Amino acid sequence: MNSKNKKLFLAPILIAFGLLLLIPIAKISAAEAKPVSVGKIDYDTLTMYVYTNNNTIVYYSTDKTTWYEVEGNKATENDAFLMDISWVSSSEDITLYFKGENDKTIQNVTLPSKDTSLKVRYDKSDNTFDFENCDAATHFEWKKANDYVWNKVPLDMKSASYQSFLKTIEGLLVKGAKVSFRIPQTVGTNASNVGARPSKEVNITLAKRANAPAVKVNANKLMLNTTLSMEYFSDKKNAWIECDKNMTVEDIAPTTLFRNGSKSVTLKIRTAATANKAYSKTAFLKINGQAGAPTIGDNSKDVSYYYQNGKLMLQFNNASKTDVYSYAIVKPGSTFNETTTAFTMMNTNKAKTITSTTAPEGSVIYIRKQGINENATKGIELQLASEVSSFKVTYPKQ
């Protein structure tokens, strides 16, 4: 038999043999097919893994009447489809049905509705958030309203992450912002454990902080124009303390006074938060240490005095328009108070005549360098009136 005849003879045999080989393969595939199954359900990406389990084609339905082929990216691992579920309504529980081309056993998975009961309230008085209707949750998520990234934070207010979150919120209050909150998803693992969608989003508007209060120090009265609505930060107590009305330097910054060490201090003062309004921006107020008292005496370079013709002669030796002194007369029976006692300014070294009517015997004369009020516009720093010196008026006997 020539080679041509051999080929013609073998061709039908090979074809028949090939067909015989195909028959067991199809039977094995169908026999090994199992009911399709559902794997990971991700509600953030709105995707779900559907495992073919050796079914050539997988179908899905919402009513078990009309069936559609599952299409999408197919994972090489475990032969699963990554199915899009963005079209499934989140307003109610929806059941999806699945079956294979080979194993037609119908399987189902019920995707839950979104929880819409979450409530979030912002407490402006202490800069905290109150979450309601989320007892089963351990975390919440938040983002700036125009951001795309959710930040996950424990609901435990004592946690470092929660405290860091509050500091971020404080920063947003400088300019004001809108923020969104939700309870994060629970990823489903299979048809029996479908997890949970992220809750509804709750939006909160954080109002811009009010401007810092206009607090000033009266350099000569040694007082600040504080109000009961303000608070100052105490480094000693590491806390914000409610202000009194018109506080003295002694009250709020005692170490700046000469008798207490004459240390410079920068005060932090703000308008306190209320139930309806967050605390304001902070005013930073620098108070330089107080200078010591002028010297008094016959040979003093600062102030000298003497009696002449039954009168007191008071001389401020270095006084000028740029180096101003002041004095106060406290008559017998009265008490000196550095914040309320009236002082008279002296900007000349010409002797000042004081009569016994103005300063009776036993009066006390208090003398100090005049303070300078701050003028930021002119670049003038605050300078407290100096500590006081004093002497008792004793007229010579006639």
Side-chain angles (χ1 to χ4, degrees):
M1 186 180 293
N2 58 35
S3 59
K4 182 177 181 181
N5 290 333
K6 285 183 180 179
K7 291 179 181 179
L8 291 174
F9 175 77
L10 292 174
I13 297 174
L14 292 173
I15 293 172
F17 181 72
L19 292 173
L20 289 173
L21 290 175
L22 291 174
I23 292 172
I25 293 173
K27 287 183 178 180
I28 292 171
S29 178
E32 289 185 353
K34 296 179 181 179
V36 298
S37 58
V38 171
K40 178 181 177 182
I41 308 170
D42 192 322
Y43 297 103
D44 282 343
T45 61
L46 290 173
T47 55
M48 177 173 66
Y49 279 98
V50 180
Y51 293 100
T52 64
N53 295 334
N54 290 327
N55 285 279
T56 309
I57 301 175
V58 174
Y59 300 96
Y60 73 93
S61 173
T62 58
D63 56 11
K64 293 193 290 186
T65 299
T66 304
W67 294 88
Y68 306 92
E69 182 180 346
V70 173
E71 299 179 279
N73 295 325
K74 201 170 186 181
T76 55
E77 183 181 357
N78 296 324
D79 199 24
F81 284 104
L82 184 61
M83 181 180 177
D84 168 53
I85 56 172
S86 63
W87 56 273
V88 179
S89 173
S90 64
S91 61
E92 59 182 335
D93 293 353
I94 299 292
T95 300
L96 300 181
Y97 303 92
F98 296 92
K99 68 179 181 178
E101 179 189 32
N102 300 320
D103 189 319
K104 295 180 172 53
T105 305
I106 295 177
Q107 305 289 346
N108 68 77
V109 59
T110 299
L111 301 181
S113 61
K114 176 183 292 187
D115 181 7
T116 59
S117 64
L118 177 67
K119 292 183 179 179
V120 184
R121 293 185 176 87
Y122 175 52
D123 189 334
K124 299 180 179 67
S125 62
D126 60 6
N127 191 40
T128 58
F129 292 84
D130 182 35
F131 295 83
E132 294 183 9
N133 303 326
C134 58
D135 294 341
T138 59
H139 292 73
F140 68 91
E141 290 181 323
W142 78 277
K143 69 180 183 69
K144 288 177 276 188
N146 57 352
D147 203 348
Y148 298 100
V149 179
W150 288 94
N151 306 284
K152 195 172 184 178
V153 180
L155 279 164
D156 179 8
M157 295 177 61
K158 295 180 180 179
S159 68
S161 295
Y162 190 93
Q163 294 304 313
S164 177
F165 154 73
L166 291 182
K167 288 190 176 297
T168 302
I169 292 296
E170 285 189 22
L172 294 178
L173 286 168
V174 174
K175 295 291 185 181
K178 290 183 179 180
V179 291
S180 301
F181 295 87
R182 72 178 187 182
I183 299 302
Q185 72 157 330
T186 300
V187 177
T189 57
N190 53 52
S192 300
N193 180 24
V194 296
R197 293 178 182 272
S199 73
K200 77 168 185 179
E201 296 178 16
V202 177
N203 299 313
I204 291 179
T205 299
L206 304 173
K208 177 182 178 181
R209 287 201 190 284
N211 291 332
V215 186
K216 295 182 179 180
V217 179
N218 187 312
N220 294 296
K221 291 184 177 294
L222 302 180
M223 295 187 70
L224 290 79
N225 61 332
T226 53
T227 67
L228 296 175
S229 65
M230 297 178 190
E231 57 187 4
Y232 70 96
F233 189 78
S234 169
D235 291 321
K236 185 176 181 180
K237 296 182 178 180
N238 193 33
W240 288 92
I241 309 298
E242 181 181 348
C243 290
D244 294 324
K245 185 177 181 179
N246 296 326
M247 296 181 74
T248 65
V249 173
E250 177 74 53
D251 291 332
I252 197 169
T255 57
T256 61
L257 299 178
F258 184 79
R259 59 182 175 270
N260 296 326
S262 190
K263 296 179 180 178
S264 294
V265 169
T266 298
L267 293 175
K268 293 188 285 187
I269 301 176
R270 68 188 187 189
T271 303
T274 66
N276 299 316
K277 185 171 61 175
Y279 59 79
S280 73
K281 295 177 183 177
T282 302
F284 294 87
L285 190 61
K286 184 179 179 181
I287 303 178
N288 292 318
Q290 184 185 40
T295 58
I296 303 175
D298 293 340
N299 298 318
S300 170
K301 66 175 183 178
D302 293 326
V303 181
S304 57
Y305 68 94
Y306 56 94
Y307 298 94
Q308 181 176 295
N309 300 326
K311 297 178 182 179
L312 170 64
M313 308 302 293
L314 189 60
Q315 189 161 8
F316 297 84
N317 301 317
N318 295 312
S320 67
K321 291 183 179 180
T322 57
D323 194 9
V324 182
Y325 289 73
S326 60
Y327 70 93
I329 301 171
V330 178
K331 296 180 179 180
S334 298
T335 304
F336 173 73
N337 185 315
E338 62 186 355
T339 63
T340 58
T341 298
F343 277 79
T344 300
M345 289 191 300
M346 291 297 296
N347 59 7
T348 175
N349 60 7
K350 183 179 179 180
K352 173 70 177 179
T353 301
I354 300 175
T355 67
S356 58
T357 302
T358 303
E361 178 80 14
S363 297
V364 177
I365 309 295
Y366 291 88
I367 296 171
R368 69 183 184 185
K369 289 284 293 289
Q370 186 77 352
I372 300 174
N373 289 320
E374 180 184 20
N375 189 324
T377 303
K378 296 182 179 180
I380 299 174
E381 285 192 1
L382 170 71
Q383 184 176 316
L384 296 177
S386 73
E387 177 67 286
V388 295
S389 296
S390 63
F391 68 93
K392 190 173 185 177
V393 176
T394 305
Y395 292 100
K397 296 182 179 180
Q398 301 295 329

